[in-house]
Amino acid sequence: MSAGLKVLRAGPCVSVQDRGRPGFLRDGIAEGGAIDRLALEEGRLLVGNDPGLACLEYAGYGGRFEIAGAPLCLALTGASAPLRLDDKPLQPRCSFSARPGQVIELGMPVDGNYSYLSVAGGIDVTPVLGSRSTHVRGGFGGFEGRCLRKGDLLPVGKTEQSSCGMVLHHPDRSLDAPIRILWSAQRDLFGEKELQLFANTAFVVTSEYDRMGVRLRSRAAPVCVQKGLEALSGVIVAGDIQIPGNGQPVVLLADHQPTGGYPRIATIIAADLDMFAQLPPGSEVRFEPVTEQQAVEALAQLSKRIGRLPERLQKHVADPLAPAELLSTNLISGVTTGSDNSGETQ
Amino acid sequence: MNKDHAPEMRMVGESVLIVEFGRQLSRDINDAVLAFDRGLQDHTVEGLLECTPTGTSIALRFDPLQVTPDRFRHIIRELVADMDLSPGSGKSIRRCWRLPVLYGGEAGPDLDFVAAQMSCSADEVVQQHQATRQRVFMVGFAPGFLYTGLLPERFHIPRLPEIKPKVPAGSVSIAIGQTVVSSTAHPTGWHTIGRTPFVNFDPGREPPVVIRAGDEIEFCVIDAREYKDRTGQTELESFEI
């Protein structure tokens, strides 16, 4: 029987995601893909996947998943979240093996919004328009074009190699650094005073967030649009910060509508966007205008960091204080090897 | 496009350059957008990842780690200067599609309101709407969602002050001298005057989006029976323009 993950219980928004679906904006389809792309890459390295394979992304509670068909190698990355294998706690950011019949439970992320469950072989749904990412609003891609439900059986791809028992230590991502922005091409719609106000305001991330966008609020005076508030028909970019009529900003994320919307005051630089999207509700956020050159340098640094991730991958030395974890990491990985061998001879 | 009026170039973030050919939507401005879009397809532009035409502008996404924004802007500026973007210059493989629409009734609940706004009968609205061949200025907002125009002056009626939470897939709605045609159920602030059985976006079909930016549409009246017969049809009559 081929390997799979059976959904025993699913949180409100667990979806299949990969690197996204670039190139279809002219047909009205935004790129989408994993909100936290660094976490996606970390997860795939921990389980030894090739680039581009799909994982599960969730916000809020994740759910309970039963391993079906064959042993699997899995890892949780992104925001830290309680992770259990048959009720035994495991550490995130470590790849571990699990046998058919075992159940993993993904709890609520504690220091961010989005967590990622990667599995060796990847979530093997059929790609749509070149990607396995779920486009929930369009109802396509991923698993039946929707978030997961109890009873779903997710196919997992075949894999020769699996690098179970690896660890990636947490990168130094600071959650309280200012988020860097470039002023928008529509900055003329705002006065210089409003731009200053925006840069000097401490905003708070609200609990109104999803893959399309995040609403912010501020205790200070709202930022006002000086000129007409009518919808503008330009192309939208992930990271764009829109100012609707009430003056409370909305930051657009991966599943943003491709065009239109409210006037945009600024765009979060690409290097900081994923970090921003991980700020939990209640976090204070300040925006720091930077130059185009600084934005490109920051992106180059991030790209270099992602490129060097494999060097930071280490064999996991289990914490002696967590014997349960030691047991599942070491013993089960032996089982995986055995099964892989027998699979090859068939 | 007059060469004395170089398009305006503006950045969105560090990796999207907007080239705007005019502020006011018109066929001439859109001709320049389409000609430039076509022209770019004939060139290999360093770092260019994706071009998205809209009514008055084109958004160019590029990789700033491959080509600096300064250099990219320079390359694009040179290309604009070298290309003939005057109306009618762009050779194209555009098509005109005959899109069937069931007007009024349950399919077009706002037809009477629109007629009242335009001080004419519902029949006249339909007659005029389908008499005008419309250009697809942009596919945006949602997969396969079309913005077409321009309609005669009397169709310049404002959008609704409040958004209707949901209109069905295939809705044909008008406002501000334009028509929008949806492929999925969606919220709208436009006035829905009819519905087409043709679904412009189907991820399981090749190509997934049939009517694209730069194409043109002749809307044609069908009745309820024809609507039923044509539901689920994937073929759409068209000719080259």
Side-chain angles (χ1 to χ4, degrees):
Chain A
M1 183 181 169
S2 54
L5 274 178
K6 190 176 171 192
V7 183
L8 303 180
R9 195 178 157 198
C13 38
V14 189
S15 65
V16 179
Q17 297 295 341
D18 61 10
R19 287 179 169 181
R21 193 174 274 119
F24 294 94
L25 206 53
R26 66 161 59 220
D27 289 329
I29 302 163
E31 185 168 334
I35 295 275
D36 187 337
R37 289 159 294 180
L38 181 58
L40 175 76
E41 295 308 312
E42 289 175 338
R44 71 120 183 139
L45 284 167
L46 279 167
V47 299
N49 277 347
D50 290 334
L53 292 189
C55 69
L56 294 183
E57 176 190 273
Y58 74 95
Y61 175 70
R64 287 167 63 81
F65 302 83
E66 186 185 310
I67 314 302
L72 295 177
C73 170
L74 307 112
L76 188 70
T77 57
S80 293
L83 167 66
R84 289 169 176 276
L85 177 65
D86 281 347
D87 295 327
K88 280 170 276 187
L90 295 183
Q91 281 178 26
R93 312 178 61 77
C94 296
S95 50
F96 61 95
S97 301
R99 292 186 307 269
Q102 285 195 299
V103 173
I104 51 175
E105 177 159 32
L106 309 175
M108 207 158 144
V110 288
D111 59 357
N113 301 320
Y114 295 95
S115 300
Y116 295 82
L117 182 72
S118 296
V119 49
I123 304 294
D124 195 23
V125 292
T126 308
V128 178
L129 307 180
S131 164
R132 295 184 177 88
S133 280
T134 315
H135 191 300
V136 175
R137 239 172 20 126
F140 66 94
F143 188 86
E144 297 181 0
R146 57 170 171 80
C147 291
L148 301 186
R149 290 184 206 137
K150 181 181 169 177
D152 291 343
L153 179 62
L154 300 166
V156 170
K158 279 206 173 78
T159 178
E160 302 274 304
Q161 84 273 25
S162 110
S163 67
C164 241
M166 303 305 279
V167 61
L168 256 177
H169 290 294
H170 213 289
D172 42 355
R173 282 215 271 183
S174 158
L175 287 176
D176 51 11
I179 297 293
R180 291 167 288 182
I181 54 166
L182 288 166
W183 293 119
S184 147
Q186 296 174 346
R187 59 181 290 174
D188 306 354
L189 295 171
F190 305 87
E192 204 55 45
K193 224 179 92 197
E194 296 300 315
L195 299 184
Q196 281 308 316
L197 175 67
F198 183 80
N200 292 325
T201 298
F203 292 97
V204 175
V205 177
T206 71
S207 54
E208 289 176 69
Y209 73 92
D210 59 19
R211 289 182 42 85
M212 289 175 65
V214 182
R215 198 177 292 277
L216 306 178
R217 68 182 155 75
S218 72
R219 296 180 190 100
V223 175
C224 295
V225 181
Q226 306 246 309
K227 293 178 188 164
L229 239 188
E230 66 178 85
L232 301 150
S233 61
V235 160
I236 289 175
V237 171
D240 275 349
I241 306 174
Q242 295 191 336
I243 307 291
N246 66 10
Q248 304 295 350
V250 174
V251 181
L252 297 161
L253 301 183
D255 280 355
H256 60 83
Q257 69 180 62
T259 58
Y262 295 102
R264 284 163 266 167
I265 192 165
T267 301
I268 294 178
I269 69 169
D272 284 1
L273 182 58
D274 300 7
M275 197 164 59
F276 166 80
Q278 286 285 23
L279 293 174
S283 307
E284 194 170 88
V285 56
R286 285 176 182 277
F287 295 107
E288 179 188 88
V290 293
T291 64
E292 190 175 85
Q293 198 186 340
Q294 286 171 311
V296 174
E297 277 164 16
L299 186 62
Q301 269 172 25
L302 176 67
S303 165
K304 208 177 279 175
R305 194 159 88 189
I306 291 179
R308 285 191 181 150
L309 279 177
E311 298 166 23
R312 299 203 3 250
L313 205 59
Q314 291 175 338
K315 195 78 191 157
H316 180 39
V317 181
D319 179 1
L321 295 177
E325 186 196 333
L326 181 74
L327 209 63
S328 96
T329 307
N330 292 351
L331 295 187
I332 315 296
S333 53
V335 173
T336 310
T337 315
S339 156
D340 284 352
N341 290 343
S342 68
E344 276 168 28
T345 58
Q346 280 165 358
Chain B
M1 184 83 199
N2 187 331
K3 286 213 175 190
D4 298 337
H5 297 87
E8 207 181 313
M9 300 219 254
R10 291 173 288 145
M11 292 289 293
V12 183
E14 66 284 90
S15 52
V16 173
L17 175 66
I18 308 277
V19 184
E20 191 177 70
F21 291 87
R23 290 264 160 135
Q24 196 66 42
L25 182 60
S26 72
R27 257 183 125 83
D28 282 0
I29 295 291
N30 190 243
D31 277 343
V33 171
L34 294 175
F36 189 52
D37 183 42
R38 274 297 295 163
L40 284 174
Q41 288 169 33
D42 296 338
H43 286 79
T44 307
V45 181
E46 191 184 348
L48 178 63
L49 299 174
E50 183 172 15
C51 315
T52 310
T54 73
T56 55
S57 66
I58 186 160
L60 308 173
R61 190 167 62 84
F62 64 97
D63 178 359
L65 301 185
Q66 192 187 333
V67 50
T68 65
D70 262 341
R71 168 140 181 82
F72 188 75
R73 283 188 291 263
H74 175 76
I75 294 169
I76 295 303
R77 207 171 285 124
E78 301 248 289
L79 277 172
V80 171
D82 284 352
M83 283 185 204
D84 176 12
L85 303 176
S86 53
S89 65
K91 55 178 167 41
S92 79
I93 44 156
R94 299 187 296 124
R95 300 198 75 80
C96 180
W97 303 89
R98 295 179 53 80
L99 193 73
V101 179
L102 172 62
Y103 286 95
E106 210 181 292
D110 302 328
L111 180 61
D112 290 337
F113 174 83
V114 168
Q117 292 287 302
M118 290 169 56
S119 315
C120 65
S121 70
D123 282 349
E124 279 173 276
V125 174
V126 173
Q127 204 280 323
Q128 286 197 28
H129 188 257
Q130 54 130 38
T132 313
R133 188 202 278 186
Q134 295 177 48
R135 165 82 59 87
V136 177
F137 289 120
M138 177 169 88
V139 185
F141 178 66
F145 187 98
L146 306 172
Y147 289 80
T148 78
L150 286 168
L151 288 161
E153 193 60 38
R154 43 195 318 211
F155 280 88
H156 284 246
I157 59 176
R159 279 166 288 197
L160 294 166
E162 279 179 33
I163 304 280
K164 283 187 279 188
K166 200 171 185 180
V167 295
S171 290
V172 174
S173 312
I174 65 140
I176 55 168
Q178 296 180 47
T179 305
V180 292
V181 183
S182 72
S183 286
T184 49
H186 66 103
T188 192
W190 296 53
H191 312 282
T192 302
I193 59 170
R195 199 184 302 163
T196 176
F198 180 72
V199 182
N200 192 38
F201 171 68
D202 178 350
R205 182 179 61 196
E206 186 51 46
V209 170
V210 172
I211 307 175
R212 312 188 73 191
D215 286 348
E216 305 209 336
I217 293 182
E218 284 175 5
F219 293 88
C220 40
V221 184
I222 53 169
D223 60 24
R225 218 191 75 194
E226 234 179 313
Y227 181 93
K228 213 176 140 198
D229 288 347
R230 297 185 69 157
T231 300
Q233 257 186 31
T234 55
E235 294 290 302
L236 193 64
E237 193 188 325
S238 71
F239 51 91
E240 227 170 89
I241 47 174

PDB file of all heavy atoms in Angstrom, chain B residues 36-59:
ATOM      1  N   PHE B  36       3.305  46.865 -26.439  1.00  0.00           N
ATOM      2  CA  PHE B  36       4.511  46.681 -25.627  1.00  0.00           C
ATOM      3  C   PHE B  36       4.573  45.256 -25.073  1.00  0.00           C
ATOM      4  O   PHE B  36       5.627  44.611 -25.073  1.00  0.00           O
ATOM      5  CB  PHE B  36       4.534  47.716 -24.491  1.00  0.00           C
ATOM      6  CG  PHE B  36       5.835  47.736 -23.745  1.00  0.00           C
ATOM      7  CD1 PHE B  36       7.047  47.868 -24.414  1.00  0.00           C
ATOM      8  CD2 PHE B  36       5.859  47.624 -22.362  1.00  0.00           C
ATOM      9  CE1 PHE B  36       8.252  47.883 -23.736  1.00  0.00           C
ATOM     10  CE2 PHE B  36       7.059  47.646 -21.664  1.00  0.00           C
ATOM     11  CZ  PHE B  36       8.261  47.776 -22.352  1.00  0.00           C
ATOM     12  N   ASP B  37       3.412  44.750 -24.640  1.00  0.00           N
ATOM     13  CA  ASP B  37       3.332  43.370 -24.124  1.00  0.00           C
ATOM     14  C   ASP B  37       3.786  42.382 -25.200  1.00  0.00           C
ATOM     15  O   ASP B  37       4.595  41.489 -24.940  1.00  0.00           O
ATOM     16  CB  ASP B  37       1.887  43.095 -23.682  1.00  0.00           C
ATOM     17  CG  ASP B  37       1.713  41.710 -23.073  1.00  0.00           C
ATOM     18  OD1 ASP B  37       2.592  41.308 -22.285  1.00  0.00           O
ATOM     19  OD2 ASP B  37       0.705  41.040 -23.384  1.00  0.00           O
ATOM     20  N   ARG B  38       3.268  42.581 -26.417  1.00  0.00           N
ATOM     21  CA  ARG B  38       3.653  41.709 -27.547  1.00  0.00           C
ATOM     22  C   ARG B  38       5.144  41.836 -27.825  1.00  0.00           C
ATOM     23  O   ARG B  38       5.858  40.862 -28.019  1.00  0.00           O
ATOM     24  CB  ARG B  38       2.898  42.110 -28.819  1.00  0.00           C
ATOM     25  CG  ARG B  38       1.546  41.491 -28.994  1.00  0.00           C
ATOM     26  CD  ARG B  38       1.570  39.992 -29.125  1.00  0.00           C
ATOM     27  NE  ARG B  38       2.248  39.509 -30.337  1.00  0.00           N
ATOM     28  CZ  ARG B  38       2.668  38.263 -30.480  1.00  0.00           C
ATOM     29  NH1 ARG B  38       2.532  37.399 -29.504  1.00  0.00           N
ATOM     30  NH2 ARG B  38       3.254  37.881 -31.589  1.00  0.00           N
ATOM     31  N   GLY B  39       5.603  43.083 -27.851  1.00  0.00           N
ATOM     32  CA  GLY B  39       7.009  43.356 -28.149  1.00  0.00           C
ATOM     33  C   GLY B  39       7.937  42.661 -27.167  1.00  0.00           C
ATOM     34  O   GLY B  39       8.963  42.098 -27.556  1.00  0.00           O
ATOM     35  N   LEU B  40       7.549  42.672 -25.883  1.00  0.00           N
ATOM     36  CA  LEU B  40       8.398  42.046 -24.864  1.00  0.00           C
ATOM     37  C   LEU B  40       8.527  40.546 -25.093  1.00  0.00           C
ATOM     38  O   LEU B  40       9.551  39.944 -24.779  1.00  0.00           O
ATOM     39  CB  LEU B  40       7.838  42.313 -23.468  1.00  0.00           C
ATOM     40  CG  LEU B  40       8.061  43.716 -22.919  1.00  0.00           C
ATOM     41  CD1 LEU B  40       7.333  43.893 -21.600  1.00  0.00           C
ATOM     42  CD2 LEU B  40       9.556  43.989 -22.729  1.00  0.00           C
ATOM     43  N   GLN B  41       7.451  39.962 -25.647  1.00  0.00           N
ATOM     44  CA  GLN B  41       7.492  38.515 -25.889  1.00  0.00           C
ATOM     45  C   GLN B  41       8.501  38.152 -26.979  1.00  0.00           C
ATOM     46  O   GLN B  41       8.968  37.025 -27.042  1.00  0.00           O
ATOM     47  CB  GLN B  41       6.090  37.999 -26.245  1.00  0.00           C
ATOM     48  CG  GLN B  41       5.166  37.985 -25.028  1.00  0.00           C
ATOM     49  CD  GLN B  41       3.723  37.729 -25.389  1.00  0.00           C
ATOM     50  OE1 GLN B  41       3.418  37.011 -26.331  1.00  0.00           O
ATOM     51  NE2 GLN B  41       2.811  38.328 -24.636  1.00  0.00           N
ATOM     52  N   ASP B  42       8.823  39.129 -27.834  1.00  0.00           N
ATOM     53  CA  ASP B  42       9.806  38.875 -28.886  1.00  0.00           C
ATOM     54  C   ASP B  42      11.239  39.137 -28.430  1.00  0.00           C
ATOM     55  O   ASP B  42      12.173  38.964 -29.202  1.00  0.00           O
ATOM     56  CB  ASP B  42       9.509  39.769 -30.112  1.00  0.00           C
ATOM     57  CG  ASP B  42       8.175  39.431 -30.748  1.00  0.00           C
ATOM     58  OD1 ASP B  42       7.703  38.293 -30.527  1.00  0.00           O
ATOM     59  OD2 ASP B  42       7.588  40.295 -31.427  1.00  0.00           O
ATOM     60  N   HIS B  43      11.413  39.620 -27.205  1.00  0.00           N
ATOM     61  CA  HIS B  43      12.752  39.920 -26.698  1.00  0.00           C
ATOM     62  C   HIS B  43      13.080  39.027 -25.508  1.00  0.00           C
ATOM     63  O   HIS B  43      12.194  38.614 -24.779  1.00  0.00           O
ATOM     64  CB  HIS B  43      12.829  41.372 -26.207  1.00  0.00           C
ATOM     65  CG  HIS B  43      12.859  42.370 -27.311  1.00  0.00           C
ATOM     66  ND1 HIS B  43      11.723  42.743 -27.983  1.00  0.00           N
ATOM     67  CD2 HIS B  43      13.876  43.070 -27.856  1.00  0.00           C
ATOM     68  CE1 HIS B  43      12.043  43.643 -28.906  1.00  0.00           C
ATOM     69  NE2 HIS B  43      13.343  43.847 -28.853  1.00  0.00           N
ATOM     70  N   THR B  44      14.373  38.782 -25.328  1.00  0.00           N
ATOM     71  CA  THR B  44      14.810  38.173 -24.084  1.00  0.00           C
ATOM     72  C   THR B  44      15.293  39.316 -23.206  1.00  0.00           C
ATOM     73  O   THR B  44      16.255  39.998 -23.541  1.00  0.00           O
ATOM     74  CB  THR B  44      15.965  37.189 -24.328  1.00  0.00           C
ATOM     75  OG1 THR B  44      15.545  36.282 -25.343  1.00  0.00           O
ATOM     76  CG2 THR B  44      16.306  36.422 -23.070  1.00  0.00           C
ATOM     77  N   VAL B  45      14.559  39.584 -22.146  1.00  0.00           N
ATOM     78  CA  VAL B  45      14.918  40.696 -21.276  1.00  0.00           C
ATOM     79  C   VAL B  45      15.539  40.131 -20.009  1.00  0.00           C
ATOM     80  O   VAL B  45      14.931  39.314 -19.313  1.00  0.00           O
ATOM     81  CB  VAL B  45      13.674  41.554 -20.932  1.00  0.00           C
ATOM     82  CG1 VAL B  45      14.074  42.725 -20.054  1.00  0.00           C
ATOM     83  CG2 VAL B  45      12.988  42.028 -22.201  1.00  0.00           C
ATOM     84  N   GLU B  46      16.750  40.593 -19.727  1.00  0.00           N
ATOM     85  CA  GLU B  46      17.510  40.113 -18.574  1.00  0.00           C
ATOM     86  C   GLU B  46      16.687  40.239 -17.281  1.00  0.00           C
ATOM     87  O   GLU B  46      16.210  41.328 -16.951  1.00  0.00           O
ATOM     88  CB  GLU B  46      18.778  40.980 -18.475  1.00  0.00           C
ATOM     89  CG  GLU B  46      19.821  40.486 -17.526  1.00  0.00           C
ATOM     90  CD  GLU B  46      20.985  41.496 -17.453  1.00  0.00           C
ATOM     91  OE1 GLU B  46      21.038  42.420 -18.302  1.00  0.00           O
ATOM     92  OE2 GLU B  46      21.809  41.340 -16.558  1.00  0.00           O
ATOM     93  N   GLY B  47      16.533  39.151 -16.569  1.00  0.00           N
ATOM     94  CA  GLY B  47      15.879  39.186 -15.254  1.00  0.00           C
ATOM     95  C   GLY B  47      14.362  39.230 -15.272  1.00  0.00           C
ATOM     96  O   GLY B  47      13.726  39.081 -14.228  1.00  0.00           O
ATOM     97  N   LEU B  48      13.755  39.423 -16.450  1.00  0.00           N
ATOM     98  CA  LEU B  48      12.286  39.549 -16.511  1.00  0.00           C
ATOM     99  C   LEU B  48      11.629  38.196 -16.226  1.00  0.00           C
ATOM    100  O   LEU B  48      11.968  37.186 -16.834  1.00  0.00           O
ATOM    101  CB  LEU B  48      11.858  40.064 -17.886  1.00  0.00           C
ATOM    102  CG  LEU B  48      10.348  40.208 -18.127  1.00  0.00           C
ATOM    103  CD1 LEU B  48       9.737  41.243 -17.180  1.00  0.00           C
ATOM    104  CD2 LEU B  48      10.056  40.595 -19.572  1.00  0.00           C
ATOM    105  N   LEU B  49      10.675  38.190 -15.294  1.00  0.00           N
ATOM    106  CA  LEU B  49      10.008  36.940 -14.912  1.00  0.00           C
ATOM    107  C   LEU B  49       8.571  36.865 -15.406  1.00  0.00           C
ATOM    108  O   LEU B  49       8.081  35.800 -15.746  1.00  0.00           O
ATOM    109  CB  LEU B  49      10.014  36.794 -13.379  1.00  0.00           C
ATOM    110  CG  LEU B  49      11.385  36.741 -12.699  1.00  0.00           C
ATOM    111  CD1 LEU B  49      11.229  36.758 -11.179  1.00  0.00           C
ATOM    112  CD2 LEU B  49      12.145  35.493 -13.127  1.00  0.00           C
ATOM    113  N   GLU B  50       7.879  37.998 -15.431  1.00  0.00           N
ATOM    114  CA  GLU B  50       6.442  37.952 -15.735  1.00  0.00           C
ATOM    115  C   GLU B  50       5.935  39.338 -16.139  1.00  0.00           C
ATOM    116  O   GLU B  50       6.317  40.329 -15.529  1.00  0.00           O
ATOM    117  CB  GLU B  50       5.697  37.477 -14.469  1.00  0.00           C
ATOM    118  CG  GLU B  50       4.211  37.318 -14.635  1.00  0.00           C
ATOM    119  CD  GLU B  50       3.551  36.652 -13.416  1.00  0.00           C
ATOM    120  OE1 GLU B  50       4.177  36.574 -12.355  1.00  0.00           O
ATOM    121  OE2 GLU B  50       2.389  36.223 -13.563  1.00  0.00           O
ATOM    122  N   CYS B  51       5.100  39.373 -17.186  1.00  0.00           N
ATOM    123  CA  CYS B  51       4.480  40.647 -17.605  1.00  0.00           C
ATOM    124  C   CYS B  51       2.979  40.543 -17.391  1.00  0.00           C
ATOM    125  O   CYS B  51       2.358  39.581 -17.831  1.00  0.00           O
ATOM    126  CB  CYS B  51       4.653  40.917 -19.094  1.00  0.00           C
ATOM    127  SG  CYS B  51       6.277  40.610 -19.722  1.00  0.00           S
ATOM    128  N   THR B  52       2.399  41.538 -16.768  1.00  0.00           N
ATOM    129  CA  THR B  52       0.951  41.542 -16.547  1.00  0.00           C
ATOM    130  C   THR B  52       0.355  42.828 -17.090  1.00  0.00           C
ATOM    131  O   THR B  52       0.494  43.887 -16.484  1.00  0.00           O
ATOM    132  CB  THR B  52       0.635  41.419 -15.042  1.00  0.00           C
ATOM    133  OG1 THR B  52       1.377  40.324 -14.515  1.00  0.00           O
ATOM    134  CG2 THR B  52      -0.843  41.188 -14.813  1.00  0.00           C
ATOM    135  N   PRO B  53      -0.324  42.761 -18.253  1.00  0.00           N
ATOM    136  CA  PRO B  53      -0.938  43.975 -18.780  1.00  0.00           C
ATOM    137  C   PRO B  53      -2.224  44.308 -18.035  1.00  0.00           C
ATOM    138  O   PRO B  53      -2.982  43.415 -17.656  1.00  0.00           O
ATOM    139  CB  PRO B  53      -1.231  43.602 -20.236  1.00  0.00           C
ATOM    140  CG  PRO B  53      -1.341  42.117 -20.260  1.00  0.00           C
ATOM    141  CD  PRO B  53      -0.511  41.586 -19.121  1.00  0.00           C
ATOM    142  N   THR B  54      -2.450  45.590 -17.789  1.00  0.00           N
ATOM    143  CA  THR B  54      -3.740  46.065 -17.282  1.00  0.00           C
ATOM    144  C   THR B  54      -4.233  47.086 -18.310  1.00  0.00           C
ATOM    145  O   THR B  54      -3.615  47.230 -19.364  1.00  0.00           O
ATOM    146  CB  THR B  54      -3.608  46.703 -15.884  1.00  0.00           C
ATOM    147  OG1 THR B  54      -2.976  47.976 -16.022  1.00  0.00           O
ATOM    148  CG2 THR B  54      -2.802  45.814 -14.948  1.00  0.00           C
ATOM    149  N   GLY B  55      -5.309  47.800 -18.031  1.00  0.00           N
ATOM    150  CA  GLY B  55      -5.867  48.722 -19.002  1.00  0.00           C
ATOM    151  C   GLY B  55      -4.885  49.768 -19.493  1.00  0.00           C
ATOM    152  O   GLY B  55      -4.756  50.002 -20.692  1.00  0.00           O
ATOM    153  N   THR B  56      -4.180  50.407 -18.554  1.00  0.00           N
ATOM    154  CA  THR B  56      -3.331  51.540 -18.908  1.00  0.00           C
ATOM    155  C   THR B  56      -1.846  51.286 -18.679  1.00  0.00           C
ATOM    156  O   THR B  56      -1.016  52.120 -18.999  1.00  0.00           O
ATOM    157  CB  THR B  56      -3.712  52.779 -18.061  1.00  0.00           C
ATOM    158  OG1 THR B  56      -3.625  52.401 -16.676  1.00  0.00           O
ATOM    159  CG2 THR B  56      -5.118  53.246 -18.370  1.00  0.00           C
ATOM    160  N   SER B  57      -1.516  50.137 -18.073  1.00  0.00           N
ATOM    161  CA  SER B  57      -0.117  49.918 -17.706  1.00  0.00           C
ATOM    162  C   SER B  57       0.250  48.450 -17.833  1.00  0.00           C
ATOM    163  O   SER B  57      -0.596  47.596 -18.080  1.00  0.00           O
ATOM    164  CB  SER B  57       0.109  50.368 -16.256  1.00  0.00           C
ATOM    165  OG  SER B  57      -0.611  49.530 -15.376  1.00  0.00           O
ATOM    166  N   ILE B  58       1.535  48.201 -17.668  1.00  0.00           N
ATOM    167  CA  ILE B  58       1.977  46.819 -17.664  1.00  0.00           C
ATOM    168  C   ILE B  58       2.893  46.647 -16.463  1.00  0.00           C
ATOM    169  O   ILE B  58       3.723  47.517 -16.175  1.00  0.00           O
ATOM    170  CB  ILE B  58       2.651  46.457 -19.010  1.00  0.00           C
ATOM    171  CG1 ILE B  58       2.999  44.981 -19.079  1.00  0.00           C
ATOM    172  CG2 ILE B  58       3.874  47.294 -19.280  1.00  0.00           C
ATOM    173  CD1 ILE B  58       3.188  44.500 -20.514  1.00  0.00           C
ATOM    174  N   ALA B  59       2.702  45.559 -15.718  1.00  0.00           N
ATOM    175  CA  ALA B  59       3.527  45.299 -14.535  1.00  0.00           C
ATOM    176  C   ALA B  59       4.577  44.266 -14.911  1.00  0.00           C
ATOM    177  O   ALA B  59       4.238  43.185 -15.392  1.00  0.00           O
ATOM    178  CB  ALA B  59       2.655  44.798 -13.387  1.00  0.00           C
TER     179      ALA B  59
END
